[in-house]
Amino acid sequence: MNINQYNADLHIHSRHSDGSLSVGEIIEISTKQGLKTISITDHDTISGIPEARSIAGDTIEIIPAVEMSSNLGSLDVHIIGYFIDCEDSTLLEYLDSFKQHRMERVISIVNRLNNDGIKIEFEQIKMIAGNCSLGRPHIAEALIDGGHVRSINEAFFRYLGQGQPYYEPKKEVHPSEVIRLIKECRGIPVIAHPGILRADSIIYELIMDGCQGIEVWHPEHSSHDRNHFHEIAIKNGLLMTGGSDCHGRRGKAVQIGSTGCNEKEIINLKNFRDRLSITDSFK
Ligand code: AMP
Ligand code: FE
Ligand code: FE
Ligand code: ZN
């Protein structure tokens, strides 16, 4: 039985990046929620997708995706690539090197914390996180385990969030670079949670840079935001997507499927992808 108003959730994080749920748990919950289609959109990694496909079989549709990090000055800009080719060697090489960068950044933050007497071990983070795409939530968890903070939120508020003493930006990557990478492997670049970007001028810049869709439905969006992004999508001929951005217990308390989208958006995405491959075949 579908207890939600949505039958697709196109934005979910797993343990392959900073989510706390395994791919198997995500599929189990999604199925229970009556979802027909999901995307596992881990940060800068596609390592969960083969596992998702093999566990899901015919029970639930998995649209391959990745949430890629980029920035405009100090602003983090996330672009989700849907229907990316998970075997594309350029994409895989890029993601591999980004994973290395994420690890070095975490080591650097841990060293700075340790230098100031806030003792946590990188080895402990590796134990929590395994071989995944590391991020600040993993450091936050080690800070909780070490008794330095009581919650992930507190860890961001006191230590790791932007403007706090141990914040460290990721390396500079212009959104146009990840948009190009996504398109080069036949993916569809979509602006993730535009509500977090705050200024419409940035959304228009991302459209000019080649984004082809916008995430209209996201837990951080008010109904005013949804209407606004819906209008931007219509005016600019953009695809529309939606998802919960669920991180399990590592994120805000959102359930898989509590925000998402429906059949219509999935059909539009697929039609767009099919047109792309027809165009490709004439090249
Ligand atoms: P990173 O990718 O290492 O820059 O870490 C960013 C991730 O941290 C986001 O994807 C969220 O999952 C999480 N995050 C960011 N801000 C907060 C916050 N204030 N409280 C809890 N989690 C957060
Ligand atoms: Fe995250
Ligand atoms: Fe994001
Ligand atoms: Zn996300």
Side-chain angles (χ1 to χ4, degrees):
M1 191 190 61
N2 188 352
I3 53 170
N4 298 305
Q5 64 185 114
Y6 305 106
N7 61 29
D9 183 340
L10 298 186
H11 194 158
I12 304 172
H13 293 272
S14 82
R15 272 188 218 156
H16 286 259
S17 66
D18 59 6
S20 70
L21 298 168
S22 69
V23 168
E25 287 166 332
I26 290 171
I27 290 170
E28 194 186 325
I29 297 167
S30 302
T31 312
K32 278 198 188 130
Q33 296 283 55
L35 297 175
K36 301 259 179 302
T37 308
I38 61 166
S39 281
I40 292 177
T41 50
D42 276 312
H43 297 288
D44 305 299
T45 181
I46 52 176
S47 59
I49 295 169
E51 188 188 350
R53 283 179 157 156
S54 95
I55 296 175
D58 295 332
T59 59
I60 193 162
E61 180 181 32
I62 311 282
I63 295 182
V66 59
E67 184 173 17
M68 295 185 73
S69 303
S70 68
N71 35 57
L72 285 169
S74 62
L75 181 72
D76 277 335
V77 175
H78 292 177
I79 307 290
I80 305 184
Y82 289 104
F83 287 115
I84 31 112
D85 175 0
C86 295
E87 262 132 53
D88 184 87
S89 57
T90 312
L91 178 69
L92 287 167
E93 271 165 37
Y94 177 87
L95 296 177
D96 257 357
S97 86
F98 210 90
K99 189 173 173 182
Q100 181 69 24
H101 163 63
R102 277 181 165 279
M103 186 173 79
E104 285 162 9
R105 170 178 176 248
V106 165
I107 292 173
S108 158
I109 296 174
V110 168
N111 285 340
R112 284 170 50 225
L113 283 160
N114 284 340
N115 288 342
D116 287 348
I118 306 158
K119 297 286 180 202
I120 53 169
E121 306 255 345
F122 178 68
E123 281 315 309
Q124 186 199 347
I125 292 176
K126 280 300 266 186
M127 244 164 53
I128 300 170
N131 184 31
C132 82
S133 173
L134 290 176
R136 285 176 286 162
H138 300 110
I139 308 175
E141 203 149 297
L143 285 168
I144 296 173
D145 291 347
H148 303 287
V149 293
R150 269 155 302 173
S151 66
I152 295 205
N153 213 19
E154 188 186 341
F156 273 85
F157 189 73
R158 284 180 52 194
Y159 298 120
L160 306 171
Q162 208 161 356
Q164 302 316 312
Y166 301 94
Y167 173 73
E168 210 166 295
K170 290 193 276 291
K171 70 176 173 187
E172 259 180 57
V173 178
H174 195 272
S176 58
E177 192 179 333
V178 297
I179 293 167
R180 183 177 48 79
L181 262 166
I182 291 168
K183 284 183 163 174
E184 276 174 5
C185 65
R186 287 178 282 132
I188 305 171
V190 172
I191 305 166
H193 40 65
I196 295 174
L197 302 173
R198 288 291 152 222
D200 280 359
S201 57
I202 294 165
I203 296 171
Y204 286 109
E205 191 175 335
L206 295 172
I207 298 171
M208 295 300 283
D209 282 339
C211 274
Q212 293 165 318
I214 186 164
E215 192 172 49
V216 172
W217 299 274
H218 185 276
E220 297 282 316
H221 293 173
S222 64
S223 62
H224 171 271
D225 288 337
R226 287 197 296 270
N227 291 339
H228 181 61
F229 299 132
H230 192 273
E231 197 178 313
I232 290 185
I234 300 281
K235 281 189 178 155
N236 294 278
L238 299 175
L239 294 159
M240 301 182 218
T241 66
S244 65
D245 208 353
C246 175
H247 284 71
R249 75 181 148 70
R250 283 215 189 102
K252 304 227 163 87
V254 289
Q255 259 286 355
I256 289 174
S258 56
T259 306
C261 55
N262 278 306
E263 202 77 26
K264 185 173 150 203
E265 287 77 36
I266 303 295
I267 291 171
N268 287 342
L269 261 181
K270 286 181 179 165
N271 285 343
F272 192 88
R273 179 220 32 199
D274 292 345
R275 280 202 300 277
L276 283 180
S277 29
I278 292 171
T279 325
D280 268 359
S281 68
F282 283 111
K283 274 184 191 158

